[in-house]
């Protein structure tokens, strides 16, 4: 009885001639098979499902001894009504552990440009807000002055129309 899918990770240290099986994920069960990777391998692939789409591992607390070649081997059986199809795929990964990661000059320049752009856009936003505030305030004063002159005009028009009022003796 074939299981739908299982994943195996193999490792060949620099200078070695053969691969050794270090990890197996089968039927939602993880198994570290090499003492060099105990408490260092963390499954980061698809979880709690038989339909694995991601077969990733995290290596933690890496040492120079973890430099070498890794193989991720996947065996999947697709079952149809009257047919089973088996797929075997292997992917090779070369890992070179260095003392300290070197930052690429492009990443440093892009980070600096990002901060410069944030500062420039913030300054532009403040200037734009001040400009808009002054424009709104000036428009508001004009409206107040227009309304005041309308009231004054009404008042003066009312006084002119008062000529028809007479006093009784």
């Amino acid at each position: 009885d074939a299981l739908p899918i299982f994943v195996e990770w193999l490792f060949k240290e620099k200078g070695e001639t053969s691969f050794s099986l270090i990890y197996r994920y089968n039927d939602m069960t993880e198994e570290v098979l090499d003492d060099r990777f105990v408490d260092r391998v963390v499954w980061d692939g698809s979880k709690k499902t038989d339909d694995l789409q991601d077969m990733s591992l995290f290596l933690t607390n890496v040492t120079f001894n973890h430099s070498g070649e890794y193989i991720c081997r996947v065996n999947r059986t697709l079952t149809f009504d009257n047919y089973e199809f088996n797929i075997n795929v292997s992917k090779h990964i070369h890992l070179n552990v260095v003392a300290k990661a070197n930052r690429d000059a492009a990443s440093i320049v892009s980070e600096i440009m990002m901060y410069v752009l944030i500062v420039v856009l913030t300054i532009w936003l403040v200037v734009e807000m001040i400009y808009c505030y002054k424009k709104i305030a000036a428009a508001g004063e004009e409206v107040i002055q227009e309304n005041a002159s309308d009231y004054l005009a009404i008042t003066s028009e009312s006084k002119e129309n008062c000529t028809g009022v007479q006093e009784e003796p």
Side-chain angles (χ1 to χ4, degrees), residues 19-166:
F19 284 89
S20 53
L21 185 61
I22 62 169
Y23 183 86
R24 179 181 291 131
Y25 186 91
N26 189 3
D27 195 28
M28 291 188 269
T29 304
E30 303 176 52
E31 188 177 9
V32 178
L33 303 166
D34 189 317
D35 291 339
R36 297 175 290 183
F37 292 90
V38 171
D39 296 328
R40 295 179 189 269
V41 174
V42 178
W43 176 256
D44 191 45
S46 303
K47 294 178 174 67
K48 298 180 183 173
T49 180
D50 287 332
D51 186 22
L52 295 181
Q53 300 293 320
D54 182 359
M55 291 82 174
S56 304
L57 286 182
F58 272 141
L59 287 180
T60 61
N61 301 321
V62 177
T63 67
F64 292 111
N65 294 334
H66 294 106
S67 293
E69 187 175 350
Y70 292 81
I71 296 176
C72 176
R73 193 163 54 195
V74 179
N75 183 318
R76 183 171 198 152
T77 303
L78 302 173
T79 305
F80 301 100
D81 290 338
N82 295 320
Y83 181 70
E84 282 188 356
F85 183 74
N86 189 268
I87 301 170
N88 287 303
V89 178
S90 294
K91 296 294 178 181
H92 292 256
I93 300 161
H94 296 278
L95 176 67
N96 186 24
V97 178
V98 295
K100 185 178 178 184
N102 299 326
R103 285 189 68 185
D104 186 35
S107 73
I108 295 169
V109 170
S110 65
E111 186 176 349
I112 292 170
M113 291 304 295
M114 177 188 68
Y115 289 120
V116 167
L117 188 60
I118 288 171
V119 169
V120 168
L121 289 175
T122 302
I123 292 170
W124 176 76
L125 180 63
V126 168
V127 168
E128 193 68 26
M129 288 174 60
I130 291 170
Y131 170 77
C132 288
Y133 175 76
K134 286 183 177 180
K135 193 170 184 178
I136 290 169
E141 287 176 12
E142 289 176 8
V143 169
I144 290 171
Q145 289 174 356
E146 283 179 18
N147 287 343
S149 64
D150 286 345
Y151 291 127
L152 292 174
I154 291 170
T155 305
S156 59
E157 288 174 6
S158 298
K159 285 183 182 177
E160 292 173 3
N161 292 334
C162 289
T163 54
V165 177
Q166 297 177 354

